[in-house]
Amino acid sequence: MSAYVPVPWVSPLLYGAVLLGGVYYLAADLGAGSGLLSWRTAGFVAGLAALCALDVAGRRRNLSPVPTLLVRCVLTGAVVALDTSELSQVLFVLLPFTAYFAFGRTTALVLGALCLAGLLTGFVLTAPAWYRDMEYVSDLLMVAVGLVLAISMAAVAVGEQRARRELQEYAARVAELSAATERNRLARDIHDSLGHHLTAISVQLEIASEFRALDPDAAGRAMTEARQSVKLALGDVRQSVRALRDDAPRPSLSAALAGWARDDGAGPCVSVQVTGDEDGYGTAALTALYRAAQEGLTNALRHARASRVSVAVRLTEDTARLAVTDDGCGFTPDRAAGGFGLTGMRERVHLVAGSVDIDSRPGEGTRLTVVVPRREGER
């Protein structure tokens, strides 16, 4: 991860203030300086310009932090030595400020302590009795306060940038998980809707082919039901598109299941029974029950070769219980490899805090039981 970026306006603002203060000090002849037009003043201005250029280069190019810090220290020391007004001592606060972004808190604190020690050493060498002069004491205190404020500002800026980066990484992760969740949802919908209808169409076409010569009426009914399954498949596709556009109507579980019932001799007998009031259940819970019933019926027709299938739903004040029972060949649930249909059904039911139970034995049929609770927010 790249280094944190210093606050861009702090350094230029401080350079400008030092430049104006130093020029005014010389122009107003407030001290025993060498004058406004002198090599010392030119060096002072050139040093500030070099510091500004170093900041600009650091923002536009990926400069090595250690050499950049060393050059900044040298330039700051030169500007302070050339400034007769001694206002440029405030530039020392920029050293730990910029170092905080590149090297961290420890380096910034050490560099701040070195700045104070260097300034104090200068006072000792140039004015042995500096501690009796209020001007020197106030300069030292002001630099110390400036260092504390600069390091604090750098800490706040680094914390804000770190939080922004973490938020961006979190948003990217959420987007990735959302996309994966949506892909899984679409896969479940395609399998549960089109897969079910295509299975029904396949079974009805097989019946029509087998009974075409023996029982033309049964074959005709099977073809009629195959056409009806095609219409239902198209309806499911349109409803899925409406769901993606967020304008899908609330599903009616009893009405959707009622269309499955049949007992005309042209295929397995399917009975449907729905008791209770579904108004207290949300769309997600009703959809999970419908898709689970659809998966159970599809497996009974495609794998179990059942002759009779019973779909029963009982809706109470607390839970909804679905039972899909067939008289097919059955299987051993523990040994059977879970296909995508069963996996998708379990995922959908678990999303609404429900449970799935499969009871089956070879030669004894299969019973699928799904229990979905009614949550308080849906009452």
Side-chain angles (χ1 to χ4, degrees), residues 287-366:
T287 301
L289 290 172
Y290 173 75
R291 295 304 187 189
Q294 201 173 48
E295 178 66 19
L297 180 59
T298 299
N299 289 336
L301 297 177
R302 180 167 55 186
H303 302 298
R305 301 293 181 180
S307 60
R308 300 187 64 85
V309 182
S310 171
V311 180
V313 179
R314 184 168 179 267
L315 302 163
T316 66
E317 293 184 358
D318 299 322
T319 59
R321 178 179 295 272
L322 163 71
V324 181
T325 308
D326 66 69
D327 61 353
C329 60
F331 66 101
T332 303
D334 294 338
R335 298 180 181 178
F340 182 81
L342 291 177
T343 301
M345 178 185 64
R346 287 191 173 95
E347 289 177 354
R348 192 187 296 274
V349 172
H350 290 163
L351 286 175
V352 292
S355 62
V356 177
D357 179 67
I358 299 177
D359 183 16
S360 180
R361 293 182 180 84
E364 298 184 10
T366 302

Side-chain angles (χ1 to χ4, degrees), residues 17 21 55 71 79 83 98 124 184 198 206 239 257-258 277 297 345:
D55 287 341
V71 172
V79 170
D83 182 20
T98 54
V124 171
N184 291 335
L198 291 176
E206 289 180 3
Q239 179 152 353
L257 297 180
D277 186 8
L297 180 59
M345 178 185 64

Side-chain angles (χ1 to χ4, degrees), residues 38 41 65 81 130 142 199 211 252 275 284 300 306 316-317 321 330:
S38 64
T41 304
W130 65 271
M142 291 301 296
T199 299
F211 283 82
S252 174
T275 59
T316 66
E317 293 184 358
R321 178 179 295 272

Side-chain angles (χ1 to χ4, degrees), residues 199-261:
T199 299
I201 293 171
S202 176
V203 171
Q204 291 152 1
L205 291 178
E206 289 180 3
I207 294 173
S209 177
E210 293 176 359
F211 283 82
R212 181 173 53 186
L214 300 176
D215 191 346
D217 292 338
R221 288 193 299 269
M223 291 297 297
T224 300
E225 291 188 4
R227 297 189 188 96
Q228 182 65 23
S229 294
V230 171
K231 294 179 181 179
L232 292 175
L234 292 175
D236 268 4
V237 170
R238 295 189 183 98
Q239 179 152 353
S240 296
V241 172
R242 286 196 297 269
L244 292 175
R245 294 178 177 271
D246 293 332
D247 58 357
R250 175 184 170 87
S252 174
L253 183 63
S254 57
L257 297 180
W260 297 353

Side-chain angles (χ1 to χ4, degrees), residues 13-363:
L13 186 63
L14 203 55
Y15 295 150
V18 170
L19 178 62
L20 290 177
V23 171
Y24 176 78
Y25 181 86
L26 295 173
D29 196 18
L30 298 179
S34 57
L36 184 60
L37 299 177
S38 64
W39 66 269
R40 190 168 185 173
T41 304
F44 167 70
V45 175
L48 290 176
L51 286 171
C52 289
L54 183 64
D55 287 341
V56 173
R59 288 194 295 268
R60 295 183 178 179
R61 301 177 183 178
N62 190 17
L63 299 179
S64 179
V66 175
T68 302
L69 181 60
L70 294 177
V71 172
R72 190 185 302 277
C73 292
V74 172
L75 290 176
T76 301
V79 170
V80 172
L82 294 172
D83 182 20
T84 57
S85 68
E86 298 181 355
L87 295 175
S88 58
Q89 294 174 359
V90 73
L91 296 180
F92 282 125
V93 303
L94 292 179
L95 297 178
F97 176 77
T98 54
Y100 200 113
F101 294 91
F103 303 102
R105 179 177 58 187
T106 302
T107 302
L109 291 174
V110 172
L111 196 56
L114 291 177
C115 289
L116 281 178
L119 184 61
L120 185 59
T121 302
F123 288 168
V124 171
L125 295 177
T126 58
W130 65 271
Y131 51 88
R132 297 179 180 274
D133 191 333
M134 191 61 193
E135 182 178 355
Y136 286 103
V137 174
S138 62
D139 288 345
L140 183 63
L141 291 177
M142 291 301 296
V143 171
V145 171
L147 288 171
V148 172
L149 293 178
I151 294 175
S152 301
M153 182 185 296
V156 172
V158 168
E160 187 271 336
Q161 294 179 27
R162 183 186 297 114
R164 188 188 302 125
R165 290 183 180 182
E166 292 176 353
L167 181 61
Q168 291 174 349
E169 293 174 357
Y170 176 75
R173 181 60 177 165
V174 168
E176 180 182 350
L177 293 176
S178 299
T181 302
E182 185 63 14
R183 286 195 301 268
N184 291 335
R185 187 187 71 81
L186 290 175
R188 287 195 300 266
D189 288 346
I190 292 173
H191 176 276
D192 294 344
S193 59
L194 292 180
H196 166 76
H197 293 303
L198 291 176
T199 299
I201 293 171
S202 176
V203 171
Q204 291 152 1
L205 291 178
E206 289 180 3
I207 294 173
S209 177
E210 293 176 359
F211 283 82
R212 181 173 53 186
L214 300 176
D215 191 346
D217 292 338
R221 288 193 299 269
M223 291 297 297
T224 300
E225 291 188 4
R227 297 189 188 96
Q228 182 65 23
S229 294
V230 171
K231 294 179 181 179
L232 292 175
L234 292 175
D236 268 4
V237 170
R238 295 189 183 98
Q239 179 152 353
S240 296
V241 172
R242 286 196 297 269
L244 292 175
R245 294 178 177 271
D246 293 332
D247 58 357
R250 175 184 170 87
S252 174
L253 183 63
S254 57
L257 297 180
W260 297 353
R262 70 179 184 189
D263 188 11
D264 51 10
C269 174
V270 179
S271 63
V272 177
Q273 182 182 11
V274 180
T275 59
D277 186 8
E278 63 185 71
D279 290 339
Y281 292 88
T283 301
L286 296 178
T287 301
L289 290 172
Y290 173 75
R291 295 304 187 189
Q294 201 173 48
E295 178 66 19
L297 180 59
T298 299
N299 289 336
L301 297 177
R302 180 167 55 186
H303 302 298
R305 301 293 181 180
S307 60
R308 300 187 64 85
V309 182
S310 171
V311 180
V313 179
R314 184 168 179 267
L315 302 163
T316 66
E317 293 184 358
D318 299 322
T319 59
R321 178 179 295 272
L322 163 71
V324 181
T325 308
D326 66 69
D327 61 353
C329 60
F331 66 101
T332 303
D334 294 338
R335 298 180 181 178
F340 182 81
L342 291 177
T343 301
M345 178 185 64
R346 287 191 173 95
E347 289 177 354
R348 192 187 296 274
V349 172
H350 290 163
L351 286 175
V352 292
S355 62
V356 177
D357 179 67
I358 299 177
D359 183 16
S360 180
R361 293 182 180 84

